[in-house]
Structures are given as C-alpha cells and as structure tokens.
Amino acid sequence: MDFSRWGFLVLIFVSFSSTPICSDSPLSSLELSEIPSKFLDFTKKNEVFDWIVGVRRKIHENPELGYEELETSKLIRQELDNLGIRYKYPFATTGIVGFIGSGKPPFVAIRADMDALPMQEMVDWEHKSRNPGKMHACGHDAHAAMLLGAAKILQEHRNIILKGTVALVFQPAEEGGGGAKKMIDAGALENVEAIFGLHVNPNFPLGEVSSRSGPFLAGSGFFEAVISGRGGHAAIPQHSIDPILAASNVIVSLQHLVSREADPLDSQVVTVAKFQGGGAFNVIPDSVTIGGTFRAFSKESFLQLRQRIEEVIVGQAAVQRCNATVDFLTNNKPFFPPTVNDKNLHKHFQRVAGDMLGNDHVRDTEPLMGSEDFAFYQEVIPGYFYLLGMQGETNEIPASVHSPYFKINEEALPLGAALQASLAIRYLLEAQPQVPSSSINDHDEL
C-alpha cells in the first residue's frame, strides 16, 4: 500500500472513530466522497484488473446451469480462501455467503448470480465455453467476478469498516430457477438490512450506470396449456373437435387482456411463444399445447393477469367444444415478483455512483419488462438493482443478453467491482443499525 493510500485510510479512521456515524452524517465529507474513486483506482491496478479478468474467464469457460454450479462455487470458495474471507456454504445447493467486517450489525449485502444458460456459444475466442450446449450468455460470469473483485477491495480496506459487516451473496439459479427465493429460505439474509445487485448492459455506454426508484423490472410468470379435442381426417372436420382452431381463438383472446382490460398506464405483457400440435398436413390432432409468459409491474396486476389467463384459456376452449388444462409451471419456473427499488437506497446509489463516475454518468431509466429474481430479496428487505453499461466505442452492434453471440466488455469489470464495494462500505459508514444488537445473532465466528 502506498503512503498516500495509507494516509487516506488513517484520515478516515481518525475522522470517524472520534465521531459516531449516524444516519444524518454529512454525505459531502471528503472522506466519504473519495472512497469510490479510491476503490476504482485500486481495481484498475494491473494486478487487480488482471486477476478479476482471469476469474471471469475461468468461470466463462466452465458454464453450469442452475443448481449445478458445483465447479463455479468451488472456484469462488477457493478465491475467498485465498483472500482470507470467511464464508458459509452451502445455501440452496451451491450458494455461498461470505462476510467481511466486524461480524456485528449493521449488515449490508452485495449479490451476484452464478448460473449459465442452456445454449451453444457462437463466439469464437480463446476462452469459449468448454461445455457443449451451455454458455454464460447473460453476464453472470462477470457478475460473480465483480463480486469477488468487490470482496478483494473490501478485504484490502477492511480497516475502514469501523463497524458492521458486508455479506457477499453468491447465488445459484437466477435463470428461472428462483435461486434467490431458496437462498432466503436457507437463511442467507440473516440480519441483513439492505442489499445491492447489478446487471451488465451491453447497450449502455461503458462508464455509465442506470436505474430508477420504485418499479424497475416487471414481475414475470410462465404458463402452459393443453387444449384437447378429438382428432380426425382434415377432409372431414365435422367428425372432429379441432383443438388448433380452439387454440387459435385462445391466443387472440389472450391479447385482449392487455388491450381491453388493463389500464393503459399500467404496463403489462401477455405473449404466447409456444404452439405445438399435429405432425401431418391432413390430420387434425387430438390436442394442442401452447405456452408463454406474462408480466406486470405490480403484484395486483400480475395476479389479475394470472387469473384471467386461466379463465380465458378454459372458457375459449369450451366455446369450441374443447377441454383445457392450465399449468403455471411454478415447480420449475417460480413467479418472479416485480423488482422495486427502495427510494432511500436510490438516493444512496446516486450519491455513491456520482462520486465515482460523475453525476452526468448516472442515469434514471424507464421501467423495463425484463425480470430478475433479485426481486425476492426486495420482498424481504430494502434492495436496489441497477444496470452497468459496458458498450465500448466501436461500430459493432452489441449482441443482446441471452444471445449465443453475447460478449462481455471486460473494461467494465473494475467499475462494477468498485461500485458494489463502495455502495456497501458507504452504507455501513452512513447508516445506523435498525434493531438493538442484543436481538441480533452475531456472526462471532468472523
């Protein structure tokens, strides 16, 4: 550690050890405002940057699907061991929670997901996926690497965490598996009073971040329906009960749920993306299977959509003399609630991100119809989720997430690591515990 950095840390220690930190401590003080830029300088050091990139590439080469992240989890635990960071394992099969700080309140968490997607990588590069049919096409390899980067920052600067504890939440199965819900059920948020998460955004400029207060991402669910009639020869349809015709009417009627029943100012989506039925040109099948997704920004609208989807499918099938069964697939694809950012954490994010990147690089954005199981955390405690830009100065049109051509701009990794670490440590330095320490289960093993 160079002398200027040591002097900076001593200055912070002296300033804040003599004055108790309270929720209304001045946010413009030099010591607090310089933390994010100091952390960013640290992550941009060649040895730190190369380490974060190396970790990300190792994870990318070995993508694993939800609840199968055994090697990914092992790698993360090895890196935590190398950093001297204590952790608890397992949560939700492969999840990990590390701890940096006093082991006492207040507790604040920063989270990353670890799972990959079931698709073949089409990007031809040195660190291409080695697992056929599996790819990190949504940036979770970068998320996990950035959280390890944040862990390294916080561990190197742990002497300025004068009180409180940062929890490092490495979560499995975000991609439809509801890993966040299972992490909560396993006790991963014990004592935690706030949590921060991020997602890379290939369409947003490198060096900028975006989010909003309140509803940010939609709640989402999936449905599948089997519409049964009576098959027969296509030349004599009067002797059959045609499930294809019934399914077609169902699909058209489902579109009316948004256009005719929903408030135009309350954004909702119903999309049928699956239609399977029949295998011959001249045979009416016995049944048809349709499926899709529905999304809304409030729990009330979401539950209303769910109810009406089932009513429309069953009712419209009956009009065509067919029977229908509807499955909302909650065993394999649990409903994701809307991602709703806490307004106070939004202000905190704007201050911290502004100190690191400049206020003109911190953008408010419109709500998005994508969904995130980070929302499960926000149903339990205040949480904040934001997007990290990574589009470089190139004429190449970036591939979207969930594309086999998706790429990570590794120049974004130190930004995400430093910002996550800064959000956590500034929260601890600025916030008071919300409950008496006597009622908290201290992590004395730290």
Side-chain angles (χ1 to χ4, degrees):
M1 181 180 296
D2 58 57
F3 179 79
S4 61
R5 185 176 306 281
W6 176 252
F8 166 73
L9 296 179
V10 168
L11 177 62
I12 291 180
F13 183 87
V14 171
S15 299
F16 290 101
S17 59
S18 60
T19 305
I21 304 300
C22 56
S23 58
D24 59 353
S25 60
L27 299 178
S28 61
S29 67
L30 178 63
E31 296 82 4
L32 287 177
S33 64
E34 288 189 347
I35 288 175
S37 59
K38 294 287 185 180
F39 282 3
L40 182 57
D41 290 342
F42 177 81
T43 58
K44 286 185 174 181
K45 289 183 176 180
N46 289 338
E47 64 272 22
V48 179
F49 176 76
D50 291 344
W51 173 76
I52 298 174
V53 168
V55 169
R56 181 257 157 173
R57 291 177 176 180
K58 288 178 184 177
I59 297 174
H60 187 87
E61 289 176 351
N62 187 28
E64 299 170 297
L65 303 183
Y67 302 116
E68 299 175 4
E69 309 95 331
L70 298 175
E71 292 302 315
T72 304
S73 179
K74 180 180 178 181
L75 171 63
I76 291 170
R77 284 180 278 123
Q78 288 173 342
E79 295 296 343
L80 292 175
D81 286 334
N82 292 339
L83 292 170
I85 296 173
R86 301 290 184 92
Y87 57 84
K88 290 184 177 181
Y89 167 86
F91 292 86
T93 307
T94 57
I96 309 157
V97 179
F99 301 96
I100 302 175
S102 68
K104 300 182 184 299
F107 285 79
V108 62
I110 45 180
R111 167 267 200 179
D113 36 21
M114 305 184 293
D115 55 320
L117 286 162
M119 62 172 57
Q120 185 66 38
E121 181 169 6
M122 301 301 291
V123 181
D124 189 15
W125 69 305
E126 181 182 357
H127 301 283
K128 183 176 181 178
S129 168
R130 298 178 181 178
N131 296 341
K134 300 176 184 179
M135 177 189 175
H136 273 292
C138 199
H140 297 188
D141 52 338
H143 300 167
M146 287 187 284
L147 184 52
L148 280 172
K152 184 177 183 68
I153 297 168
L154 293 168
Q155 184 71 348
E156 290 283 341
H157 300 83
R158 62 189 180 274
N159 57 327
I160 64 173
I161 306 178
L162 303 181
K163 64 175 183 177
T165 306
V166 178
L168 312 166
V169 178
F170 294 91
Q171 175 209 307
E174 187 276 332
E175 297 289 354
K181 180 70 165 60
K182 292 189 177 182
M183 291 287 286
I184 294 167
D185 293 342
L189 292 188
E190 182 182 10
N191 301 332
V192 175
E193 63 181 48
I195 186 167
F196 296 92
L198 62 75
H199 203 295
V200 291
N201 184 348
N203 300 309
F204 209 69
L206 178 69
E208 294 189 1
V209 290
S210 65
S211 190
R212 62 180 284 111
S213 178
F216 181 34
L217 302 175
S220 71
F222 298 90
F223 65 92
E224 186 175 78
V226 178
I227 299 172
S228 301
R230 184 172 66 238
H233 199 290
I236 47 175
Q238 70 272 23
H239 297 314
S240 304
I241 299 176
D242 189 347
I244 289 182
L245 177 61
S248 300
N249 283 329
V250 164
I251 292 170
V252 171
S253 296
L254 286 174
Q255 301 312 304
H256 297 162
L257 295 181
V258 174
S259 67
R260 298 294 89 181
E261 297 186 16
D263 184 337
L265 301 180
D266 180 14
S267 299
Q268 300 175 32
V269 166
V270 178
T271 295
V272 177
K274 175 181 179 180
F275 193 121
Q276 297 175 341
F281 292 108
N282 61 347
V283 178
I284 295 172
D286 286 322
S287 66
V288 167
T289 300
I290 65 171
T293 184
F294 59 105
R295 301 181 180 224
F297 283 106
S298 73
K299 181 174 287 188
E300 295 76 14
S301 298
F302 182 81
L303 294 176
Q304 174 69 9
L305 268 185
R306 182 193 187 281
Q307 176 184 331
R308 291 293 290 135
I309 286 170
E310 183 168 16
E311 290 173 352
V312 166
I313 292 174
V314 173
Q316 283 297 320
V319 169
Q320 303 296 328
R321 299 178 297 153
C322 290
N323 296 316
T325 58
V326 183
D327 182 0
F328 286 96
L329 306 174
T330 52
N331 288 333
N332 298 320
K333 296 180 180 293
F335 294 149
F336 284 9
T339 302
V340 181
N341 282 334
D342 181 83
K343 64 179 181 180
N344 292 324
L345 295 183
H346 177 62
K347 295 175 183 177
H348 176 74
F349 169 78
Q350 289 181 312
R351 290 192 299 266
V352 175
D355 287 340
M356 190 176 92
L357 303 171
N359 292 332
D360 56 335
H361 290 84
V362 182
R363 305 287 183 85
D364 274 353
T365 188
E366 295 300 314
L368 303 173
M369 273 296 171
S371 62
E372 242 287 348
D373 81 345
F374 186 85
F376 285 113
Y377 300 122
Q378 294 174 315
E379 288 197 317
V380 180
I381 59 174
Y384 195 83
F385 195 76
Y386 63 96
L387 302 180
L388 176 72
M390 64 172 190
Q391 183 179 17
E393 295 181 358
T394 174
N395 293 326
E396 181 182 357
I397 299 176
S400 66
V401 295
H402 291 218
S403 164
Y405 296 97
F406 179 74
K407 298 178 184 178
I408 290 290
N409 181 352
E410 293 175 333
E411 295 297 322
L413 299 181
L415 300 174
L419 186 50
Q420 285 288 77
S422 299
L423 287 167
I425 200 168
R426 285 270 295 264
Y427 182 92
L428 293 182
L429 291 174
E430 296 170 9
Q432 288 276 2
Q434 298 300 305
V435 293
S437 60
S438 60
S439 65
I440 292 290
N441 295 321
D442 293 343
H443 291 268
D444 291 328
E445 71 276 12
L446 303 182

